[in-house]
Amino acid sequence: DAGVIQSPRHEVTEMGQEVTLRCKPISGHNSLFWYRQTMMRGLELLIYFNNNVPIDDSGMPEDRFSAKMPNASFSTLKIQPSEPRDSAVYFCASSTKDSYGYTFGSGTRLTVV
Amino acid sequence: RKEVEQDPGPFNVPEGATVAFNCTYSNSASQSFFWYRQDCRKEPKLLMSVYSSGNEDGRFTAQLNRASQYISLLIRDSKLSDSATYLCVVNKGSGKSTFGDGTTLTVKP
Protein backbone atom coordinates (compact mmCIF):
# COMPACT_ATOMS: atom_id res chain seq x y z
CA ASP A 1 0.00 0.00 0.00
CA ALA A 2 1.33 3.45 -0.90
CA GLY A 3 0.00 5.00 2.27
CA VAL A 4 -1.71 8.38 2.47
CA ILE A 5 -0.55 10.53 -0.42
CA GLN A 6 -0.51 14.30 -0.23
CA SER A 7 0.39 16.88 -2.83
CA PRO A 8 2.13 19.17 -3.22
CA ARG A 9 4.91 18.55 -0.69
CA HIS A 10 5.79 22.24 -0.60
CA GLU A 11 3.82 25.27 -1.64
CA VAL A 12 4.95 28.88 -1.61
CA THR A 13 2.35 31.42 -2.59
CA GLU A 14 1.63 35.09 -2.31
CA MET A 15 -0.92 36.50 0.06
CA GLY A 16 -4.33 36.62 -1.54
CA GLN A 17 -3.80 33.65 -3.82
CA GLU A 18 -5.89 30.50 -3.75
CA VAL A 19 -4.20 27.36 -2.45
CA THR A 20 -5.45 23.82 -2.97
CA LEU A 21 -4.02 20.89 -1.05
CA ARG A 22 -4.77 17.33 -2.12
CA CYS A 23 -4.99 14.02 -0.34
CA LYS A 24 -5.51 10.41 -1.34
CA PRO A 25 -6.33 8.22 1.67
CA ILE A 26 -5.44 4.58 2.06
CA SER A 27 -7.83 2.39 0.13
CA GLY A 28 -10.49 0.98 2.42
CA HIS A 29 -10.10 3.64 5.09
CA ASN A 30 -13.47 5.30 5.65
CA SER A 31 -12.37 8.26 7.76
CA LEU A 32 -10.24 11.15 6.56
CA PHE A 33 -8.82 13.99 8.63
CA TRP A 34 -7.15 17.29 7.83
CA TYR A 35 -4.75 18.63 10.47
CA ARG A 36 -2.62 21.76 10.64
CA GLN A 37 0.62 21.90 12.62
CA THR A 38 2.48 24.99 13.78
CA MET A 39 5.06 25.53 16.48
CA MET A 40 2.70 27.78 18.40
CA ARG A 41 -0.47 25.67 18.28
CA GLY A 42 0.73 22.12 17.70
CA LEU A 43 -1.51 19.74 15.76
CA GLU A 44 -5.00 21.09 15.22
CA LEU A 45 -7.85 19.15 13.66
CA LEU A 46 -9.46 21.22 10.93
CA ILE A 47 -12.13 18.87 9.61
CA TYR A 48 -12.88 15.21 9.29
CA PHE A 49 -14.97 13.07 6.96
CA ASN A 50 -16.60 9.72 7.51
CA ASN A 51 -17.64 7.84 4.39
CA ASN A 52 -17.02 11.03 2.36
CA VAL A 53 -19.40 13.09 4.50
CA PRO A 54 -18.06 16.02 6.56
CA ILE A 55 -18.77 15.20 10.19
CA ASP A 56 -17.06 17.95 12.14
CA ASP A 57 -15.63 21.15 10.67
CA SER A 58 -15.50 23.10 13.91
CA GLY A 59 -11.74 23.38 13.60
CA MET A 60 -11.82 25.20 10.28
CA PRO A 61 -10.44 28.64 11.13
CA GLU A 62 -12.77 30.75 9.05
CA ASP A 63 -14.70 30.95 5.82
CA ARG A 64 -11.50 31.21 3.83
CA PHE A 65 -11.01 27.49 4.42
CA SER A 66 -13.08 24.82 2.70
CA ALA A 67 -12.71 21.08 2.28
CA LYS A 68 -14.34 18.53 0.02
CA MET A 69 -14.31 14.79 -0.40
CA PRO A 70 -16.04 14.00 -3.68
CA ASN A 71 -15.23 10.27 -3.44
CA ALA A 72 -13.58 7.74 -1.19
CA SER A 73 -10.16 8.20 -2.75
CA PHE A 74 -9.73 11.96 -2.90
CA SER A 75 -10.04 15.06 -0.75
CA THR A 76 -9.06 18.70 -1.10
CA LEU A 77 -8.46 21.50 1.35
CA LYS A 78 -8.73 24.95 -0.18
CA ILE A 79 -7.70 28.31 1.23
CA GLN A 80 -9.00 31.38 -0.56
CA PRO A 81 -7.65 33.99 -0.12
CA SER A 82 -4.49 32.83 1.64
CA GLU A 83 -2.82 34.89 4.36
CA PRO A 84 0.67 34.73 5.91
CA ARG A 85 -0.79 33.34 9.15
CA ASP A 86 -1.94 30.28 7.21
CA SER A 87 1.70 29.22 6.86
CA ALA A 88 1.97 25.78 8.45
CA VAL A 89 2.32 22.10 7.68
CA TYR A 90 -0.98 20.58 6.65
CA PHE A 91 -1.40 16.87 7.23
CA CYS A 92 -4.01 14.53 5.90
CA ALA A 93 -4.66 11.28 7.78
CA SER A 94 -6.97 8.33 7.30
CA SER A 95 -8.21 5.46 9.42
CA THR A 96 -10.62 2.55 9.43
CA LYS A 97 -11.72 2.71 13.02
CA ASP A 98 -11.26 4.94 16.06
CA SER A 99 -9.40 2.28 17.96
CA TYR A 100 -6.88 1.64 15.20
CA GLY A 101 -5.19 5.02 15.11
CA TYR A 102 -4.40 7.11 12.09
CA THR A 103 -1.99 6.92 9.18
CA PHE A 104 -0.66 10.32 8.20
CA GLY A 105 0.52 11.56 4.86
CA SER A 106 3.87 13.29 4.53
CA GLY A 107 2.23 16.70 4.75
CA THR A 108 2.21 19.87 2.69
CA ARG A 109 4.46 22.65 3.93
CA LEU A 110 2.67 25.87 3.04
CA THR A 111 4.36 29.25 3.09
CA VAL A 112 2.32 32.35 2.33
CA VAL A 113 4.42 35.45 1.73
CA ARG B 1 -7.18 23.50 30.56
CA LYS B 2 -6.09 21.51 27.52
CA GLU B 3 -7.82 18.22 26.80
CA VAL B 4 -4.49 16.42 26.60
CA GLU B 5 -1.46 17.65 28.50
CA GLN B 6 2.14 16.53 28.24
CA ASP B 7 5.39 17.68 29.75
CA PRO B 8 7.10 19.27 26.74
CA GLY B 9 10.57 18.42 28.00
CA PRO B 10 13.09 18.33 26.51
CA PHE B 11 14.30 15.09 27.98
CA ASN B 12 18.00 14.62 27.38
CA VAL B 13 19.23 11.15 28.30
CA PRO B 14 22.31 9.05 27.59
CA GLU B 15 22.16 5.93 25.47
CA GLY B 16 20.99 2.96 27.45
CA ALA B 17 18.93 5.01 29.89
CA THR B 18 15.33 4.34 30.79
CA VAL B 19 12.98 7.27 30.30
CA ALA B 20 9.30 7.72 31.05
CA PHE B 21 6.75 10.17 29.73
CA ASN B 22 3.37 10.92 31.23
CA CYS B 23 0.27 12.42 29.73
CA THR B 24 -3.01 13.46 31.35
CA TYR B 25 -6.39 13.82 29.72
CA SER B 26 -9.45 15.69 30.92
CA ASN B 27 -12.38 13.78 29.44
CA SER B 28 -13.25 10.73 31.50
CA ALA B 29 -15.35 9.38 28.61
CA SER B 30 -12.26 8.95 26.42
CA GLN B 31 -12.10 5.51 24.88
CA SER B 32 -8.96 4.99 22.85
CA PHE B 33 -5.42 6.02 23.62
CA PHE B 34 -2.25 6.07 21.59
CA TRP B 35 1.35 7.14 21.48
CA TYR B 36 2.70 8.57 18.23
CA ARG B 37 6.24 9.42 17.33
CA GLN B 38 7.16 12.41 15.19
CA ASP B 39 10.61 12.99 13.79
CA CYS B 40 11.74 16.47 12.85
CA ARG B 41 9.97 17.71 9.72
CA LYS B 42 8.15 14.39 9.29
CA GLU B 43 4.61 13.20 9.83
CA PRO B 44 3.43 11.62 13.10
CA LYS B 45 3.56 7.83 13.07
CA LEU B 46 1.62 5.50 15.29
CA LEU B 47 3.94 3.97 17.86
CA MET B 48 1.49 1.94 19.88
CA SER B 49 -2.00 1.78 21.26
CA VAL B 50 -2.47 1.94 25.02
CA TYR B 51 -4.66 -0.49 26.95
CA SER B 52 -5.76 -0.60 30.57
CA SER B 53 -3.93 -3.86 31.04
CA GLY B 54 -0.73 -2.30 29.79
CA ASN B 55 1.08 -3.35 26.67
CA GLU B 56 4.64 -3.85 25.64
CA ASP B 57 6.39 -3.73 22.29
CA GLY B 58 10.05 -4.53 22.60
CA ARG B 59 11.70 -1.75 24.61
CA PHE B 60 8.48 0.25 24.80
CA THR B 61 5.81 -0.16 27.46
CA ALA B 62 2.56 1.81 27.59
CA GLN B 63 0.19 2.05 30.51
CA LEU B 64 -3.26 3.55 31.00
CA ASN B 65 -4.67 4.60 34.35
CA ARG B 66 -8.34 5.44 33.83
CA ALA B 67 -8.98 6.36 37.46
CA SER B 68 -6.30 9.03 37.40
CA GLN B 69 -6.76 9.79 33.70
CA TYR B 70 -3.17 9.46 32.70
CA ILE B 71 -1.16 7.54 30.16
CA SER B 72 2.50 6.68 30.32
CA LEU B 73 5.20 5.54 27.94
CA LEU B 74 8.37 3.86 29.16
CA ILE B 75 11.39 3.43 26.92
CA ARG B 76 14.10 1.07 28.13
CA ASP B 77 17.66 0.89 26.85
CA SER B 78 17.33 4.13 24.88
CA LYS B 79 18.89 4.27 21.44
CA LEU B 80 20.07 7.30 19.49
CA SER B 81 17.31 6.54 17.01
CA ASP B 82 14.67 7.03 19.72
CA SER B 83 15.30 10.79 19.56
CA ALA B 84 12.00 12.31 18.46
CA THR B 85 8.89 14.01 19.74
CA TYR B 86 6.36 11.67 21.36
CA LEU B 87 2.72 12.63 21.06
CA CYS B 88 0.00 11.43 23.39
CA VAL B 89 -3.35 10.98 21.65
CA VAL B 90 -6.84 10.49 23.07
CA ASN B 91 -10.01 9.55 21.20
CA LYS B 92 -13.46 10.03 22.71
CA GLY B 93 -15.05 7.63 20.29
CA SER B 94 -16.49 10.55 18.39
CA GLY B 95 -14.36 9.83 15.38
CA LYS B 96 -11.72 12.44 16.09
CA SER B 97 -8.59 12.30 18.18
CA THR B 98 -6.99 15.02 20.27
CA PHE B 99 -3.22 15.27 20.18
CA GLY B 100 -1.02 16.52 22.97
CA ASP B 101 1.68 19.02 22.16
CA GLY B 102 4.37 16.37 22.46
CA THR B 103 7.40 15.56 24.58
CA THR B 104 10.80 15.95 22.98
CA LEU B 105 13.39 13.27 23.66
CA THR B 106 17.06 13.52 22.77
CA VAL B 107 19.23 10.48 23.35
CA LYS B 108 22.94 11.31 23.45
CA PRO B 109 25.96 9.04 22.94
Side-chain angles (χ1 to χ4, degrees):
Chain A
D1 195 328
V4 176
I5 300 173
Q6 290 187 246
S7 65
R9 290 294 302 274
H10 301 274
E11 176 82 32
V12 180
T13 191
E14 291 185 347
M15 183 174 62
Q17 297 297 306
E18 178 179 294
V19 176
T20 300
L21 311 182
R22 297 172 175 79
C23 175
K24 176 178 169 54
I26 291 174
S27 177
H29 282 195
N30 60 345
S31 294
L32 182 140
F33 308 83
W34 282 101
Y35 279 86
R36 177 172 70 177
Q37 188 173 38
T38 60
M39 289 292 291
M40 292 295 292
R41 302 170 69 94
L43 263 170
E44 302 174 278
L45 177 65
L46 300 177
I47 185 171
Y48 82 95
F49 297 83
N50 193 40
N51 294 322
N52 313 339
V53 176
I55 302 299
D56 185 345
D57 66 354
S58 58
M60 296 285 261
E62 47 199 272
D63 292 345
R64 298 184 297 106
F65 285 69
S66 62
K68 293 182 180 180
M69 192 165 186
N71 57 62
S73 59
F74 184 65
S75 177
T76 59
L77 177 68
K78 186 176 293 186
I79 308 173
Q80 166 64 19
S82 57
E83 297 182 2
R85 61 191 167 124
D86 301 330
S87 298
V89 180
Y90 290 80
F91 288 108
C92 174
S94 68
S95 74
T96 53
K97 193 175 175 182
D98 284 348
S99 57
Y100 292 169
Y102 300 169
T103 301
F104 282 80
S106 300
T108 294
R109 186 170 298 274
L110 174 65
T111 303
V112 183
V113 297
Chain B
R1 183 188 172 190
K2 290 184 177 181
E3 283 191 55
V4 179
E5 297 207 55
Q6 296 183 246
D7 179 347
F11 285 67
N12 297 305
V13 303
E15 269 187 293
T18 295
V19 61
F21 308 137
N22 288 327
C23 164
T24 59
Y25 60 95
S26 60
N27 192 322
S28 59
S30 298
Q31 298 182 11
S32 304
F33 309 87
F34 309 91
W35 284 101
Y36 282 70
R37 170 195 169 124
Q38 186 173 23
D39 293 286
C40 187
R41 302 180 75 85
K42 298 283 191 178
E43 73 274 21
K45 292 185 177 178
L46 180 63
L47 181 64
M48 57 198 305
S49 301
V50 188
Y51 307 115
S52 295
S53 55
N55 49 303
E56 188 173 310
D57 183 1
R59 298 181 293 107
F60 297 81
T61 301
Q63 289 276 358
L64 167 63
N65 185 317
R66 285 189 183 272
S68 301
Q69 294 181 207
Y70 82 79
I71 306 153
S72 64
L73 177 68
L74 182 77
I75 305 175
R76 291 181 300 277
D77 189 23
S78 301
K79 311 290 184 191
L80 296 177
S81 57
D82 294 334
S83 298
T85 297
Y86 291 83
L87 302 166
C88 172
V89 182
V90 174
N91 188 300
K92 293 178 284 190
S94 58
K96 63 181 184 180
S97 291
T98 301
F99 284 71
D101 289 337
T103 298
T104 300
L105 170 68
T106 301
V107 181
K108 299 186 174 179

